[in-house]
Amino acid sequence: MTDNDPTTRPAPLLAVIVDNHVVGDSRVQKCALAAASAGYRVVLVGRAPGAADTFTIGSGDVTVEVRRIEAPFQLLGLARRVPRGRWRYPFAYPSVDHNARRGLRLKALTADLRARKLILRQSGEIAGWRGRAKDLALKAETVPLRAGWLLHRFRQLGFRALSERVKRDDGLVLRAGTRLRTALRGPGAWRALDPVLLDVELGFGPVLDELAPDLLHANDFRMCGVAARAAARAAALGRRVPVVYDVHEWVAGVASKTPRWRAANTGHEAEYIGRADAVITVSDRLAEMLQERYRLVDRPRVVLNAPRFEPDAPAPDGGLRAACGLADDVPLLVYSGSAAPQRGIDTVVDALVHLPPVHLALVIAHPARAEEITARARQAGVADRVHVLPYVAPQDVVPFLRSATAGLIPIHHVPNHEIALITKYFEYAHAGLPIISSDTDTMGTTTRALGNGEVFVAEDVADLVRAVAAVTADPRRYRAAYDRHADVLRSWSWHEQEAVLLDVYADVLAAAGTPAPQRVRDDLVVRAGAR
């Protein structure tokens, strides 16, 4: 036996990396657990919400260690403490520390002067000429102190304006500077445009070097460069570490970000996506767009973020309807997922005014946004029909949702909403729910083709009311679509998708000269024989 004998070598170590808190990210968890189930040693590295911590996900023999590291946004924080563009506000404080120091000093001097005046009056000296002279001198000190406060407030306003510009990160001058940097430096301009992309390297890079994985699965755009640089450092030490880059969204189409942010992050992706040994993504359309934009030799493989298909799994805590305290005959719509404004929940709340019997369940994890939504519901007089519930574990989502009447996807028209079926679409479908979707391209087209729901014009309250009325009048008609398209439903299961993922892992490891785990090799042999 030798170290190269695949029967004696330890299973490859896979590092799955993501720039979020891991909890709530079903895709990275499913990928990590699929690899662990296939025999890989797996560590999932994410960002800690506070102090670094470690825990496990999974159950039984299939568990994954999660390491959440401290990865503070140091460069971003410093950029905001010492904002750029001071030429526009020449009298503004140069940094937050200058602002704080001057304010504290003025506050202390004011308190000291007030105390000296009180002491003079309490001493009784003010009756004599010396006392009156001291009193005049103290009053004279008030003039420069007041002038100091006025100047401080003026400089403070300038600094606040500078700070807001940093947070807004937009404007004519910034856009012009972004274009100039991009023209001069090409994709590499990201180094001057978005400090967060350097912050993640400072946080994650050393951890990956210490971990020394055999394979890297980089999730989303910020981790693309982190993984490529870690692989380059490993190669310098004689270790070939393949990188699988998992593209969750179309970075150029993130509508909520500024042109400067998009230029930085698309440039960063352009620089490193070609260095990945394999690229996977969430839809066929996005795969085509990536191949065309970055001129990739191979079309990215598609791994849908589909749920596990477990039709007999019990609903936790009695399911959604029980959690809302509603009888079986009460129409119940559900929205599960991100509560960002562009997800269209406000449109649904406004529609409830015209749908008296209908209740709405929101399975969300954004307290501030939840309060905004409930305040809107109170104002509209429908708060008693809106139920806000916390997230459930990824494996429990489908059974938890089953008791609803229909699932909602009321999202607005922004580029990333047009190009893929989002996770909740698959979850609703596996839960057997009719789907009420806005007319975004992929989801609207799919819903019309399958006949599993109704499509309405995005942000149109009246049309949403029509769609809800149609579905709640005869939900069985729409549920029947899943019986007609059982093959589609099977293809939307994680069981089908993880097979693609494990094939990608095996391919890139084979190209690097590293054998996949034994059970993966055995499965490949069986599948090859079946073909």
Side-chain angles (χ1 to χ4, degrees), residues 314-367:
D317 301 323
L320 179 71
R321 190 171 289 273
C324 296
L326 298 175
D328 292 343
D329 60 347
V330 177
L332 175 60
L333 308 179
V334 64
Y335 174 89
S336 173
S338 169
Q342 64 268 26
R343 296 301 179 115
I345 299 174
D346 290 345
T347 306
V348 183
V349 172
D350 293 346
L352 286 181
V353 175
H354 309 284
L355 297 163
V358 176
H359 284 242
L360 169 65
L362 301 173
V363 185
I364 58 178
H366 306 271

Side-chain angles (χ1 to χ4, degrees), residues 152-234:
H152 169 64
R153 292 190 178 104
F154 176 68
R155 299 189 70 185
Q156 194 175 49
L157 287 172
F159 179 73
R160 285 176 182 170
L162 277 175
S163 299
E164 286 303 315
R165 286 181 57 77
V166 170
K167 293 176 185 177
R168 190 168 63 249
D169 217 10
D170 204 356
L172 179 62
V173 174
L174 285 173
R175 287 199 298 271
T178 298
R179 292 193 185 98
L180 179 61
R181 282 193 172 96
T182 303
L184 293 175
R185 300 185 62 179
W190 65 266
R191 293 173 176 85
L193 297 176
D194 188 356
V196 171
L197 293 170
L198 295 173
D199 276 328
V200 292
E201 173 62 30
L202 293 173
F204 284 81
V207 174
L208 295 182
D209 292 344
E210 181 181 355
L211 194 59
D214 300 296
L215 173 61
L216 271 165
H217 181 154
N219 286 276
D220 234 344
F221 48 91
R222 285 179 181 163
M223 294 293 99
C224 178
V226 171
R229 291 185 290 268
R233 291 191 296 273

Side-chain angles (χ1 to χ4, degrees), residues 174-412:
L174 285 173
R175 287 199 298 271
T178 298
R179 292 193 185 98
L180 179 61
R181 282 193 172 96
T182 303
L184 293 175
R185 300 185 62 179
W190 65 266
R191 293 173 176 85
L193 297 176
D194 188 356
V196 171
L197 293 170
L198 295 173
D199 276 328
V200 292
E201 173 62 30
L202 293 173
F204 284 81
V207 174
L208 295 182
D209 292 344
E210 181 181 355
L211 194 59
D214 300 296
L215 173 61
L216 271 165
H217 181 154
N219 286 276
D220 234 344
F221 48 91
R222 285 179 181 163
M223 294 293 99
C224 178
V226 171
R229 291 185 290 268
R233 291 191 296 273
L237 299 174
R239 295 177 50 250
R240 173 83 162 82
V241 180
V243 172
V244 175
Y245 174 38
D246 191 343
V247 184
H248 294 191
E249 62 183 334
W250 181 241
V251 178
V254 180
S256 61
K257 301 297 184 179
T258 65
R260 183 184 184 89
W261 184 95
R262 286 195 293 274
N265 285 275
T266 55
H268 175 261
E269 187 171 65
E271 180 171 336
Y272 290 110
I273 191 170
R275 298 190 62 84
D277 296 85
V279 179
I280 62 175
T281 192
V282 296
S283 75
D284 289 310
R285 184 171 172 187
L286 184 51
E288 294 169 3
M289 293 166 69
L290 289 166
Q291 185 174 27
E292 181 179 354
R293 181 183 182 95
Y294 298 119
R295 300 177 182 176
L296 302 177
V297 175
D298 298 316
R299 185 175 179 272
R301 300 283 298 275
V302 175
V303 178
L304 301 176
N305 191 24
R308 291 189 175 278
F309 185 42
E310 299 174 354
D312 299 322
D317 301 323
L320 179 71
R321 190 171 289 273
C324 296
L326 298 175
D328 292 343
D329 60 347
V330 177
L332 175 60
L333 308 179
V334 64
Y335 174 89
S336 173
S338 169
Q342 64 268 26
R343 296 301 179 115
I345 299 174
D346 290 345
T347 306
V348 183
V349 172
D350 293 346
L352 286 181
V353 175
H354 309 284
L355 297 163
V358 176
H359 284 242
L360 169 65
L362 301 173
V363 185
I364 58 178
H366 306 271
R369 179 69 179 128
E371 180 53 39
E372 291 178 5
I373 295 168
T374 52
R376 189 184 189 100
R378 282 194 298 271
Q379 187 175 7
V382 297
D384 59 324
R385 291 189 281 129
V386 176
H387 311 268
V388 179
L389 304 170
Y391 274 175
V392 297
Q395 68 273 14
D396 292 333
V397 172
V398 171
F400 184 71
L401 299 180
R402 279 197 188 112
S403 58
T405 306
L408 290 165
I409 306 179
I411 57 180
H412 298 175

Side-chain angles (χ1 to χ4, degrees), residues 415-427:
N416 267 307
H417 293 171
E418 308 287 347
I419 59 182
L421 294 176
I422 56 179
T423 304
K424 66 173 60 62
Y425 198 101
F426 303 127
E427 292 169 342

Side-chain angles (χ1 to χ4, degrees), residues 126-142:
I126 199 167
W129 67 269
R130 288 181 179 176
R132 288 195 294 275
K134 286 182 180 180
D135 185 48
L136 288 172
L138 290 174
K139 288 179 179 177
E141 286 188 42
T142 303

